[in-house]
């Protein structure tokens, strides 16, 4: 991904708690995340960073729990991305495997910290 000022700083963060549908193989979902979900991010201009985490708590992990952190330039920018064809394809694939069971949104306080 090319560094541009538009991708330099996120002003909003979205966290989704995800649960796989019964019978969905976690490896199938994780392969899709690595090969399709991440690969689509450069086509969504509002996305500054995006990562999916497997919940490692034994109780939650047994039920196919994940969470994703999406850093975006603004909620309005991301809402525009959500109307795009690439985003609609992601949703169609995702909905076959999993569901978002909770969402948190927030605005970053200050610049935050990130090790370089």
């Amino acid at each position: 991904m090319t560094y541009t000022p538009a991708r330099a700083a996120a002003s909003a963060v979205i966290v989704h708690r995800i649960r796989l549908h019964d019978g969905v193989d976690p490896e199938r979902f994780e392969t899709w995340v690595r090969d399709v979900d991440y690969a689509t991010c450069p086509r969504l201009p509002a996305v500054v960073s995006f990562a999916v985490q497997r919940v490692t708590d034994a109780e939650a992990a047994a039920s196919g729990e994940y969470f994703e952190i999406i850093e975006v330039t603004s909620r309005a920018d991301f809402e525009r991305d959500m109307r795009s064809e690439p985003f609609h394809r992601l949703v169609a694939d995702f909905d076959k495997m999993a569901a978002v069971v909770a969402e948190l949104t927030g605005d970053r306080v200050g610049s935050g910290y990130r090790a370089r």
Side-chain angles (χ1 to χ4, degrees):
M1 180 181 312
T2 304
Y3 176 85
T4 62
R7 291 199 181 266
S11 68
V13 178
I14 304 160
V15 179
H16 289 144
R17 185 171 150 217
I18 299 167
R19 183 173 298 130
L20 297 183
H21 297 313
D22 289 341
V24 172
D25 179 14
E27 185 52 40
R28 174 182 166 217
F29 176 73
E30 292 178 21
T31 297
W32 176 81
V33 166
R34 287 188 299 272
D35 296 347
V36 177
D37 210 6
Y38 291 164
T40 302
C41 287
R43 298 181 65 199
L44 304 172
V47 176
V48 174
S49 71
F50 173 73
V52 175
Q53 285 72 218
R54 180 185 322 107
V55 174
T56 56
D57 175 282
E59 196 173 302
S63 63
E65 293 274 343
Y66 294 82
F67 63 97
E68 63 186 11
I69 302 171
I70 310 163
E71 295 180 88
V72 296
T73 53
S74 74
R75 287 188 196 104
D77 291 346
F78 189 58
E79 287 172 8
R80 185 178 52 248
D81 285 355
M82 291 170 64
R83 294 188 295 271
S84 71
E85 182 58 33
F87 191 86
H88 286 283
R89 282 195 301 271
L90 287 177
V91 170
D93 289 347
F94 177 88
D95 286 347
K96 294 174 187 171
M97 295 179 280
V100 172
V101 295
E103 177 179 89
L104 295 170
T105 61
D107 296 322
R108 185 181 312 275
V109 175
S111 60
Y113 170 80
R114 187 175 302 239
R116 296 187 188 255

